[in-house]
């Protein structure tokens, strides 16, 4: 029986109190861990999906909506723009790369993107089997789509109108056929069905007036012109950033939005909420610390006689001080570890139950280095909560304590 | 004189003090002439409440520094040592049996002994613990917590804990005052028996005159007023 063993024995002796304090601390730690993982993974996802895209050009409307719909595929597009814009932009000297996107349809909630092979290539996606599309209605699917639908090569499917997994009618004309599947990239491409831009036009019978998409304003009166939804632009020189957005926004019917600017704006909006909850979580941690302090303080008052006795039979002040500190640290360690486990558990449960969260790339299996700081913070709170009661050992007069305690 | 038979040939007395006095808040609580106790010579400190028994024990254990005079334990001047050295001398030499027992309620009897053994001697010897528990007749209660023990069982556990560090001197503060006649006699029997078996010398402080006849060596403390007059 060592003094550490004694710490365990004391904690076990007041088991309910110990369990409640551990739980209280764990809740604070878990809240911080959830916020941290959520914010970090969201930010990481946002950054990765927008990498290398300097500008998005699309129909006029909300720039944030344009970015969300054409980079992250989470909002509805602002509208369509003429196909001629692709050529016009490609002729700009400051532009290195233009990738067209034609949106508006889905297959069981996975968005169908009419684009060029340069799009998956931009995210470093490589085929796990099959080949790239080269004819209309040939589709290549991302890793999550393949896993989610269990779709193999040669699988045929009909696209549906709209972008959600709603009950919109299926296009009854031509089915897509899966010709290739991509390896996981950890980017938005994993959740997309990709085909040629022409496929999307054909699907909508571009020669007919079929502008029934609620989310695509009727721009082409009469005969439908070949259109795309957005263009992902990469500059060849920094000069592009100075000239292009201003020109597009003032001189054309289109708008240009910089992902970096919009993401920063979005994250600062989300960040405000996160910071508010973070403050609450910190408060929770401090409350837990205070609770540990009260528990140790009252326990030690009852144990003053024990401590004096231990001193009399030869335990040094330092070792008894250490014993109390260990008791606080044991509480804090248990609370911190339980909190981290709880935090990851909640993230896992959330990702499993809310598809949007899973689509944002929320991954409970990923640990962040900052979690270590949260754990260390919790340990520091435990140590500090134990410190004040423990310091009494140095002030206590043994003979006095023995005389006045039982 | 039957108990003085164990008086050793050691030249240094186990406990000795010169004329001792101690005052608290300007009030004299202890004033006694010099005294000596040889190893193996079980002794009784007898006096009414307030006569300074506890103060004397605290001085002997190095918990209180007397206002004047000094106490030597096993040849070392306890009163002149630095606090850490006092702790070490007490740990090496003295085992204490408290009136209120002071067993740690969160630990079993066996664990209480193991903790004292660890603190006192820095080792863990389960066989010695079991043997000592058996010697005080608590083998069947070894894994019980103190609050589950009867008064008598608790006292046996407290004696075993005092002896587990193999002290040369066992100091017992009022071990019998709360007990009826037969239990008081049994308690003293047990103290003598275990102390003799482990080679420890007893120093019992009490106001309980019933056990007076059991000791050959007695230090009688007068009430403080009389001490001051003397």
């Amino acid at each position: 029986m060592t003094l550490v063993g004694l710490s365990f024995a004391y904690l076990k002796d007041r088991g309910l109190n110990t369990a409640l304090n551990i739980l209280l601390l764990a809740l604070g730690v878990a809240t911080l861990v959830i916020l941290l993982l959520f914010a970090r993974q969201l930010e990481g996802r946002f950054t990765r999906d927008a990498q290398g895209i300097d500008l998005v050009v699309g129909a006029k409307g909300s720039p944030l909506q344009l970015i969300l719909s054409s980079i992250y595929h989470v909002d509805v597009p602002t509208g369509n723009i003429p196909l001629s814009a692709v050529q016009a932009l490609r002729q700009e000297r400051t532009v290195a790369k233009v990738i067209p996107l034609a949106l508006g349809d889905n297959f069981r909630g996975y968005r169908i993107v009419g684009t060029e092979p340069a799009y998956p290539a931009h995210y470093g996606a490589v085929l796990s089997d099959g080949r790239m599309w080269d004819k209309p209605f040939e589709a290549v699917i991302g890793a999550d789509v393949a896993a989610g639908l269990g779709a193999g090569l040669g699988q045929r499917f009909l696209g549906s109108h709209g972008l959600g997994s709603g009950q919109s009618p299926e296009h009854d004309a031509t089915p897509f056929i899966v010709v290739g599947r991509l390896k996981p990239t950890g980017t938005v491409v994993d959740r997309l069905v990709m085909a040629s831009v022409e496929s999307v036009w054909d699907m909508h019978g571009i020669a007919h007036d079929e502008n029934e998409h609620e989310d695509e304003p009727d721009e082409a009166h009469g005969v439908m012109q070949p259109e795309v939804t957005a263009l992902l632009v990469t500059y060849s020189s920094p000069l592009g950033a100075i000239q292009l957005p201003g020109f597009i926004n003032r001189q054309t019917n289109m708008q240009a939005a910089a992902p970096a600017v919009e993401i920063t704006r979005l994250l600062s909006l989300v960040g405000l909420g996160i910071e508010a909850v973070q403050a609450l979580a910190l408060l929770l941690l401090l409350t837990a610390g205070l609770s540990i302090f009260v528990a140790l303080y009252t326990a030690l008052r009852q144990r003053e006689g024990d401590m004096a006795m231990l001193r009399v039979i030869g335990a040094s002040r330092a070792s008894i001080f250490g014993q109390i500190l260990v008791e606080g640290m044991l509480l804090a360690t248990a609370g911190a570890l339980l909190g981290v486990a709880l935090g990851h558990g909640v993230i896992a449960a959330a990702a499993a139950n809310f598809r949007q969260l899973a689509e944002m790339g929320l991954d409970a299996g990923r640990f962040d280095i900052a979690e270590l700081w949260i754990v260390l913070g919790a340990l520091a709170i435990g140590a500090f909560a134990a410190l004040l009661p423990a310091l009494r050992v140095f002030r206590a007069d043994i003979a006095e304590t023995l005389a006045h305690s039982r | 004189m039957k108990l003085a038979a164990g008086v050793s040939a050691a030249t240094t007395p186990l406990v000795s003090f010169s004329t001792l006095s101690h005052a608290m808040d300007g009030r004299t609580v202890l004033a006694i002439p010099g005294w000596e106790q040889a190893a193996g010579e079980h002794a009784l400190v007898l006096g009414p409440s307030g006569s300074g028994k506890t103060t004397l024990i605290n001085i002997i254990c190095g918990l209180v520094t007397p206002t004047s005079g000094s106490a030597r334990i096993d040849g070392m001047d306890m009163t002149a040592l630095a606090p850490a050295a006092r702790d070490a001398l007490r740990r090496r030499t003295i085992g204490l049996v408290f009136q209120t027992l002071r067993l740690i309620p969160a630990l079993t009897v066996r664990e209480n002994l193991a903790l004292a053994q660890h603190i006192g001697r820095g080792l863990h010897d389960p066989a010695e613990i079991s043997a000592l528990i058996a010697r005080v007749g608590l083998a069947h209660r070894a894994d019980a917590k103190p609050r589950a023990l009867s008064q008598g069982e608790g006292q046996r556990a407290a004696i075993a804990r005092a002896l587990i560090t193999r002290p040369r001197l066992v100091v017992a503060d009022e071990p019998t005052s709360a007990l009826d006649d037969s239990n008081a006699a049994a308690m003293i029997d047990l103290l003598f028996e275990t102390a003799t078996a482990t080679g420890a010398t007893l120093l019992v402080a009490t106001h309980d005159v019933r056990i007076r006849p059991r000791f050959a060596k007695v230090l009688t403390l007068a009430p403080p007023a009389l001490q001051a007059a003397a």
Side-chain angles (χ1 to χ4, degrees):
Chain A
M1 179 58 54
T2 60
L3 287 168
V4 174
L6 180 62
S7 301
F8 271 110
Y10 277 135
L11 288 174
K12 210 176 124 201
D13 200 48
R14 49 185 160 90
L16 182 64
N17 186 303
T18 301
L20 289 177
N21 276 308
I22 288 176
L23 191 65
L24 196 57
L25 192 64
L27 288 176
V29 168
T31 313
L32 280 177
V33 165
I34 291 168
L35 289 173
L36 175 84
L37 291 183
F38 186 76
R40 286 291 172 89
Q41 295 191 2
L42 192 68
E43 204 177 331
R45 191 64 189 237
F46 272 18
T47 314
R48 247 176 315 156
D49 284 352
Q51 69 193 349
I53 299 171
D54 298 319
L55 197 68
V56 178
V57 178
K60 283 215 186 289
S62 149
L64 183 58
Q65 190 186 345
L66 178 62
I67 299 291
L68 287 176
S69 65
S70 48
I71 292 186
Y72 305 109
H73 299 271
V74 287
D75 201 353
V76 293
T78 46
N80 282 344
I81 56 172
L83 181 64
S84 54
V86 180
Q87 277 317 310
L89 271 175
R90 278 181 176 155
Q91 276 156 16
E92 287 290 326
R93 271 181 300 118
T94 52
V95 168
K97 187 159 70 174
V98 177
I99 301 172
L101 302 177
L103 307 174
D105 295 297
N106 79 89
F107 177 59
R108 296 205 187 146
Y110 294 107
R111 295 191 176 196
I112 298 171
V113 180
T115 183
E116 295 171 356
Y119 181 62
H122 177 84
Y123 290 105
V126 290
L127 288 161
S128 69
D129 56 7
R131 58 178 175 81
M132 275 294 158
W133 68 88
D134 55 23
K135 289 202 287 285
F137 294 103
E138 286 182 349
V140 167
I141 57 179
D144 288 353
V145 183
L149 298 177
L153 297 182
Q155 172 102 28
R156 284 164 191 276
F157 63 90
L158 288 167
S160 308
H161 255 329
L163 297 166
S165 49
Q167 286 92 29
S168 4
E170 294 187 342
H171 291 278
D172 43 29
T174 324
F176 282 92
I177 177 166
V178 176
V179 297
R181 297 191 292 187
L182 298 176
K183 287 182 181 165
T185 59
T187 66
V188 67
V189 166
D190 292 352
R191 301 188 306 274
L192 296 177
V193 175
M194 285 149 285
S196 67
V197 179
E198 291 80 4
S199 310
V200 177
W201 292 338
D202 286 355
M203 190 160 61
H204 295 140
I206 220 68
H208 310 100
D209 192 356
E210 205 202 39
N211 256 346
E212 62 202 9
H213 290 190
E214 288 165 39
D215 39 27
E216 292 174 19
D218 192 349
E219 284 184 327
H221 300 283
V223 178
M224 256 184 100
Q225 300 298 313
E227 287 181 323
V228 290
T229 313
L231 307 175
L232 308 181
V233 176
T234 307
Y235 298 137
S236 60
S237 93
L239 213 58
I242 301 166
Q243 297 172 343
L244 218 48
F247 169 76
I248 291 171
N249 286 331
R250 278 193 300 273
Q251 310 285 326
T252 71
N253 268 334
M254 305 181 292
Q255 73 159 328
V261 175
E262 299 307 321
I263 294 167
T264 309
R265 215 168 54 159
L266 180 63
L267 285 180
S268 72
L269 284 174
V270 177
L272 271 182
I274 288 180
E275 272 165 25
V277 187
Q278 238 161 15
L280 282 178
L282 278 177
L283 209 62
L284 200 57
L285 266 192
L286 287 180
T287 311
L290 196 66
S291 171
I292 291 179
F293 169 76
V294 171
L296 281 178
Y297 195 83
T298 42
L300 291 179
R301 285 204 74 100
Q302 289 160 5
R303 267 151 52 186
E304 275 178 343
D306 287 8
M307 291 191 290
M309 185 279 298
L310 289 174
R311 292 275 295 116
V312 168
I313 68 172
S316 66
R317 281 192 158 96
S319 59
I320 291 180
F321 177 78
Q323 186 266 316
I324 298 164
L325 221 55
V326 163
E327 212 171 313
M329 296 297 278
L330 282 174
L331 274 178
T333 308
L337 294 183
L338 182 68
V340 169
L342 206 61
H344 282 266
V346 167
I347 294 259
N353 289 303
F354 299 98
R355 178 151 171 195
Q356 281 97 331
L357 292 178
E359 281 184 357
M360 263 173 10
L362 211 56
D363 177 6
R366 213 140 17 105
F367 283 81
D368 195 290
I369 188 75
E371 284 177 71
L372 196 64
W373 292 109
I374 296 177
V375 168
L376 289 178
L379 293 187
I381 285 177
F384 191 72
L387 200 61
L388 290 175
L391 280 173
R392 291 168 58 90
V393 172
F394 288 98
R395 293 200 306 266
D397 179 322
I398 307 175
E400 189 92 340
T401 311
L402 285 177
H404 294 109
S405 68
R406 291 195 63 81
Chain B
M1 281 296 165
K2 57 176 178 174
L3 294 163
V7 172
S8 75
T11 47
T12 45
L14 186 56
V15 181
S16 68
F17 43 81
S18 59
T19 305
L20 269 181
S21 71
H22 189 62
M24 279 166 71
D25 306 324
R27 194 171 57 86
T28 301
V29 292
L30 181 74
I32 49 171
W35 192 73
E36 278 188 7
Q37 179 184 14
E41 188 184 23
H42 300 320
L44 184 69
V45 175
L46 187 66
S49 298
S51 59
K53 295 188 301 294
T54 303
T55 304
L56 180 59
I57 287 178
N58 283 340
I59 291 171
I60 289 171
C61 292
L63 302 176
V64 164
T65 307
T67 316
S68 74
S70 67
R72 302 180 77 85
I73 306 299
D74 206 13
M76 294 182 74
D77 188 350
M78 181 65 99
T79 45
L81 292 173
R86 285 187 190 186
D87 288 353
L89 178 58
R90 183 173 61 244
R91 187 169 60 226
R92 274 201 318 273
T93 323
I94 304 175
L96 268 148
V97 180
F98 301 93
Q99 184 181 5
T100 53
L101 306 186
R102 298 192 184 277
L103 295 163
I104 291 184
L107 302 179
T108 64
V109 171
R110 192 188 300 283
E111 288 169 341
N112 265 288
L113 263 67
L115 181 63
Q117 191 182 47
H118 172 77
I119 292 173
R121 296 174 57 209
L123 54 78
H124 181 50
D125 183 349
E128 189 180 357
I129 292 170
S130 294
L132 198 52
I133 291 176
R135 175 171 289 283
V136 298
L138 270 185
H140 62 299
R141 304 292 277 155
D143 295 310
K145 295 213 170 150
R147 56 177 82 100
L149 299 178
S150 70
Q151 173 73 13
E153 286 170 338
Q155 281 178 326
R156 287 161 187 272
I159 291 172
R161 187 186 58 191
L163 290 169
I164 194 66
T165 56
R166 297 183 179 171
R168 299 196 59 207
L169 176 69
V170 171
V171 176
D173 187 10
E174 301 283 9
T176 58
S177 41
L179 304 178
D180 61 31
D181 290 354
S182 65
N183 277 318
M187 179 74 184
I188 291 300
D189 285 342
L190 185 67
L191 275 172
F192 278 138
E193 179 198 322
T194 49
T196 308
T198 55
T201 302
L202 281 176
L203 178 60
V204 176
T206 190
H207 69 262
D208 186 357
V209 292
R210 292 175 298 175
I211 60 174
R212 165 73 183 80
R214 305 291 298 270
F215 290 83
K217 186 167 180 70
V218 178
L219 171 62
T220 306
L221 297 184
L226 296 180
Q227 286 180 30

